Amino acid sequence: MNSMKRILTIVGARPQIIKSAAISRAISSQFTGQLEEIILHTGQHYDHNMSAVFFNEMGIPEPHVNLAVGSGNHGAQTAEMIVGIEKAILEFTPDAVLVYGDTNSTVAGALASTKLHIPVIHVEAGLRSFDKLMPEEINRISTDHMSTLLFTPTISGLENLKREGFSWSHEQKASVNNPKVFHCGDIMYDNSLYFESLSKADLLIDLGIDNSEFILVTVHRDTNTDDAERLNGIVEAIHQIQHASGSVIVLPLHPRTRKMMDQQLTDHMKELLYQNNHIKLIDPVGFLDMIALESHASMVITDSGGVQKEAYFFKKPCLILRETTEWIEIVENGSALLVGSETEKIVNGYHQLISTSHHFPSLYGDGKAAEFICQTVLDEL
Ligand code: UD1
Ligand code: UDP
């Protein structure tokens, strides 16, 4: 019989708030009395539509602690998180700390807990883009190597960990010196299946695209937003694809992108983007609206890790505005193409995707990853 375990969950950036809904839902529906969850929000994301909207609509419990760290340089932002998370660990004395993905909030949670000898649970472990210039790659690698329980969403994640020396032996008790790796599928697949039935077409009606073809675009990766040449190249490509397809383009703008577009785009690009009625620039949307967009779009163009994969869940071809991806399966499958930021390459990619038929075999588990993670935590800690 397992005794009650207390887990401190660290969230902070939009994608991990969304991911956390799956585990919170599993705990409250299947593991009450066995797992207690304390939620700490670092405050890395803080605008209503980058944070609160997800707690409200996805039924995530209110955080017990909000560090309100806000934006800043990587060092200062991460350091402030570590200080706050350390305090919370000392106050709440959790049995383990749960971190998601690859943001600064993730690595801050892992560092604070591992130094206090509290086991780290890493959900979305093992992913690699093999580009250490990405802040996320540094965060992923270091978090994995501080973790006690590692849950991989994909087989390639499992193989990456094996290459880095993680052992497959599950004989000894899990510890930071004997970490255990489990392949469980993707908790975002759990979420997409669960929330698809709750999602409505209201936003599509408001945008006037409920009966027309449209392409969904998101851009927020620092390498794209903060580099004028790349950002202008992407906008030119969006303009050309809009003309070639005749489709509406819907672009929910991450606050970073909105800010950088104003600073980095040439006057000509601003005109192409802002004066075209078929390009709809909107504020970031909630997850239910995002699912409505992803599931109705004819194609997705994105540099987001989460959105490229959700495109696959909803059987949409996808152009990835990056040179590498940690979700390599969808590229190997052919439904997604790595096209970087050069206009010509992106537009060629568009023509290639529309002239090919695509298949979307199951790659991301059975939609029960969260349940598996909760049960494994109970069994192993
Ligand atoms: C972060 C993650 C990235 C993830 C992304 C998800 C790191 C290093 N990066 O990038 O991996 O893909 O979140 O969206 O952790 N801003 C606002 N309001 C907000 C949040 C941000 O205006 O609520 C603006 C600020 O100008 C801020 C900028 O966006 O400086 C960047 O925010 P930050 O959290 O540092 O990085 P992201 O680009 O969001
Ligand atoms: N998302 C959302 N609203 C938006 C844009 C994205 O709900 O306007 C969701 C998206 O469906 C996915 C997650 O946010 O689940 C991805 O986050 P983001 O692109 O910010 O980060 P990444 O996945 O690249 O780390």
Side-chain angles (χ1 to χ4, degrees), residues 339-350:
V339 289
S341 64
E342 275 173 42
T343 306
E344 199 183 334
K345 212 165 165 202
I346 301 170
V347 176
N348 287 345
Y350 164 77

Side-chain angles (χ1 to χ4, degrees), residues 288-309:
L288 295 180
D289 282 339
M290 194 61 183
I291 286 191
L293 289 169
E294 289 168 342
S295 59
H296 287 87
S298 58
M299 183 183 291
V300 174
I301 304 178
T302 188
D303 62 9
S304 158
V307 176
Q308 61 184 267
K309 191 161 35 82

Side-chain angles (χ1 to χ4, degrees), residues 14-15 18 54 188 220-221 252 284-285 287 290 294 304-306 310:
R14 170 169 68 187
I18 295 173
F54 304 109
M188 278 312 297
H220 77 279
R221 196 67 49 201
V285 299
F287 188 64
M290 194 61 183
E294 289 168 342
S304 158
E310 289 159 21

Side-chain angles (χ1 to χ4, degrees), residues 13-15 44-47 50 71 74 77 102-104 135-136 139 220-221 254-256 259:
R14 170 169 68 187
Q44 178 171 351
H45 287 174
Y46 43 85
D47 290 347
M50 294 293 287
S71 305
H74 285 262
Q77 188 189 51
D102 54 18
T103 72
N104 288 349
E136 293 83 3
N139 293 344
H220 77 279
R221 196 67 49 201
H254 188 292
R256 163 179 222 126
K259 191 168 83 183

Side-chain angles (χ1 to χ4, degrees), residues 193-322:
L193 289 178
Y194 182 82
F195 287 103
E196 188 180 9
S197 60
L198 303 177
S199 139
K200 299 201 178 76
D202 297 9
L203 176 66
L204 308 187
I205 296 166
D206 290 349
L207 291 171
I209 51 169
D210 47 324
N211 285 318
S212 49
E213 277 224 343
F214 70 92
I215 296 173
L216 175 66
V217 182
T218 80
V219 183
H220 77 279
R221 196 67 49 201
D222 60 352
T223 40
N224 285 333
T225 59
D226 297 13
D227 180 319
E229 196 180 332
R230 291 183 69 99
L231 195 60
N232 280 280
I234 289 169
V235 169
E236 170 72 38
I238 292 171
H239 159 77
Q240 289 189 20
I241 290 173
Q242 195 287 310
H243 269 253
S245 62
S247 294
V248 167
I249 306 272
V250 180
L251 180 37
L253 280 181
H254 188 292
R256 163 179 222 126
T257 317
R258 191 175 281 282
K259 191 168 83 183
M260 295 316 285
M261 277 178 163
D262 288 340
Q263 291 176 24
Q264 307 273 33
L265 293 184
T266 63
D267 289 344
H268 177 56
M269 284 307 154
K270 281 184 184 164
E271 198 183 319
L272 292 184
L273 190 65
Y274 300 150
Q275 309 291 326
N276 183 340
N277 290 335
H278 291 98
I279 301 181
K280 304 206 179 277
L281 301 179
I282 59 175
D283 285 336
V285 299
F287 188 64
L288 295 180
D289 282 339
M290 194 61 183
I291 286 191
L293 289 169
E294 289 168 342
S295 59
H296 287 87
S298 58
M299 183 183 291
V300 174
I301 304 178
T302 188
D303 62 9
S304 158
V307 176
Q308 61 184 267
K309 191 161 35 82
E310 289 159 21
Y312 189 88
F313 297 162
F314 293 110
K315 302 186 173 22
K316 307 297 174 180
C318 179
L319 293 176
I320 304 172
L321 302 169
R322 288 172 49 187

